[in-house]
Amino acid sequence: MNPRTRTTVILLFIAWCIDYIDRSVISVALPAIGRDLDLDHGQLGLAVSVFFIAYAAVQIPGGLLADRFGAMRIAVVGLLAWSLFTGLTAAAASFGTLILIRVLFGLSQGIFPAAGMKLLAERSTPQDRMTANGWVNSSNAVGGVLAMILAAVLIPLIGWRGLFVAVSVLGLVVTFSFVTKMPAPLQEVDLAPNPSNGGTALLKVPTMWLYVLAFFGYDVLIWGTNSWFASYLQEERGLSASSAALLGLPAGLTAAIVIVLSGRVSDRIGGRIRPLVIPGMTIAGILIILLPHVSNLVVYVLLSMVAVGCSSPAYIGAFSIPLKQLNPALPESDRA
C-alpha cells in the first residue's frame, strides 16, 4: 500500500472511530438519560431516531459540498461540529433540548461520509482501494467497541454527562491530528469530472441499487440492534451499564475482523462482493428474529456476535461500487 494511502487510512480510521464512539455511547447511556430527564421509552427511541433521520438527510448534500468546496474542508467542518454537539449533549436539560442537539449532531456527522470517501479515493489506487476501504470501515466496529469500553469505565465514574464531555474533547484532539497529518492526493489518481462516469450514470447501474438495498438492510439491522442492545440488557436482564457495555465487545470485535477480511477478499475477486453479502445478510436477518426469544444470556451474546459478523460484508459491499466509480480511468468491466 502506498505510504500516502496508508497514512490516509490511519487518519480516516481514527476519525471514523471517533464518529462511531460519539454516536454509539448514547446506547449505553439511554437508561441513565431517561431517569435523569424523566423520559419514557418512546421519547428515548425518538432521541435515537432523529439522529439517523438528520444523518440520512444530508448525505447527498454532503457529497455535493465535498465536490464544491473540497473533501478536506467538509471533513474538518464535520469533525469540529459533531465534537461540539457531542459535548453539548451533556448540557441537555429537557426532552426538547436533547432532540435539538441530536438533530444538529446528525447533520454534522452526515456531511462526513462523502468527504471521507473522496479523501480515500484521491489517495489510493483502484488496485488497493477496497483493501484500504476495508481497514477504514473496520472503524465502524472498532469505534463501537471503544464506545462500549469508554462507557463502561466512565459512566460509573463521571456519569453520562461527563462521558459526553470526555468524548467531545477526544474528538477535538483527533481533529487537530487530521488537519496536520493528512497527505496530499496521489498525482496518478485522476478524479476529474467525466460525463460518462458522473452521478447520473452511477444511478443507472443496477448493481448500485442492490448495494443501496444491502446498505439499508445493514443499517436497519446493525444500528437497530446496537441502539438497544445495552439498554435491553440493563432493563430486561438487570445488568449494570458497565456489564451491558462490555457484553457488546465480542460482536464489535467480530465485525472489525470480518470487515477487514471482506475488503481483502473484495480486491481479490475484482471488487465483487455480492457472494458474501447475500448469504451473510440472510443469516443475520434470521438470527436477529430469533434473538428476542433467547433466554440464555451467553447464547444471546453469541448469536448477536454471529449476526453482526455475517452482516459485516454488506458494509464493504455498499461502498465498493461508489469507490470504484469515483475513478474515471477504471475499466467498465470492473465497475459492477
Side-chain angles (χ1 to χ4, degrees):
M1 192 180 293
N2 185 287
R4 293 190 195 181
T5 304
R6 187 179 301 112
T7 300
T8 301
V9 166
I10 293 171
L11 292 173
L12 285 173
F13 178 90
I14 295 172
W16 274 112
C17 277
I18 295 300
D19 180 301
Y20 286 105
I21 289 172
D22 286 7
R23 76 172 74 169
S24 298
V25 290
I26 194 171
S27 66
V28 182
L30 277 177
I33 294 173
R35 291 190 297 269
D36 197 7
L37 301 183
D38 193 25
L39 305 180
D40 59 32
H41 286 161
Q43 290 172 311
L44 291 174
L46 186 59
V48 172
S49 299
V50 293
F51 162 79
F52 290 105
I53 293 171
Y55 184 84
V58 295
Q59 293 293 303
I60 293 177
L64 296 173
L65 289 171
D67 281 337
R68 174 67 177 83
F69 298 104
M72 188 64 183
R73 287 193 184 96
I74 299 304
V76 171
V77 168
L79 274 164
L80 286 173
W82 90 54
S83 297
L84 171 65
F85 291 120
T86 297
L88 287 176
T89 304
S94 66
F95 176 61
T97 55
L98 178 63
I99 290 296
L100 176 61
I101 291 169
R102 294 298 294 178
V103 168
L104 295 174
F105 176 58
L107 294 174
S108 301
Q109 284 208 341
I111 65 174
F112 185 80
M117 186 181 296
K118 186 171 183 179
L119 285 172
L120 180 60
E122 291 173 338
R123 292 159 178 80
S124 62
T125 60
Q127 291 72 29
D128 61 11
R129 188 164 293 156
M130 291 314 301
T131 297
N133 187 48
W135 281 105
V136 169
N137 285 308
S138 66
S139 58
N140 179 349
V142 173
V145 168
L146 294 176
M148 297 302 103
I149 294 173
L150 287 173
V153 173
L154 295 180
I155 287 181
L157 295 177
I158 56 179
W160 70 269
R161 295 184 189 274
L163 170 66
F164 281 102
V165 172
V167 174
S168 176
V169 172
L170 182 61
L172 294 175
V173 173
V174 169
T175 302
F176 177 78
S177 299
F178 197 85
V179 171
T180 57
K181 302 297 183 180
M182 181 63 70
L186 295 175
Q187 294 181 354
E188 61 267 32
V189 177
D190 180 14
L191 293 175
N194 187 323
S196 64
N197 195 36
T200 302
L202 184 59
L203 295 178
K204 296 178 181 179
V205 179
T207 309
M208 180 65 182
W209 291 102
L210 293 176
Y211 284 111
V212 168
L213 291 174
F215 201 20
F216 177 81
Y218 173 87
D219 278 345
V220 169
L221 188 151
I222 293 301
W223 285 109
T225 302
N226 288 351
S227 296
W228 291 105
F229 181 86
S231 298
Y232 168 79
L233 292 179
Q234 291 176 66
E235 297 184 350
E236 298 297 326
R237 302 295 179 108
L239 301 181
S240 66
S242 296
S243 297
L246 292 176
L247 285 177
L249 297 183
L253 292 171
T254 300
I257 294 171
V258 174
I259 288 172
V260 171
L261 292 177
S262 296
R264 294 180 65 86
V265 171
S266 179
D267 273 335
R268 293 187 178 184
I269 61 176
R272 298 173 178 84
I273 201 163
R274 190 188 306 183
L276 297 177
V277 171
I278 294 176
M281 289 296 289
T282 301
I283 295 172
I286 293 172
L287 292 178
I288 292 298
I289 293 173
L290 294 176
L291 279 178
H293 307 288
V294 176
S295 58
N296 184 280
L297 183 59
V298 174
V299 176
Y300 182 90
V301 172
L302 289 174
L303 289 182
S304 299
M305 181 177 67
V306 175
V308 170
C310 288
S311 66
S312 294
Y315 196 72
I316 293 296
F319 282 104
S320 64
I321 295 296
L323 276 172
K324 286 188 173 292
Q325 288 288 333
L326 281 173
N327 193 332
L330 195 65
E332 186 69 32
S333 60
D334 286 343
R335 294 181 183 178

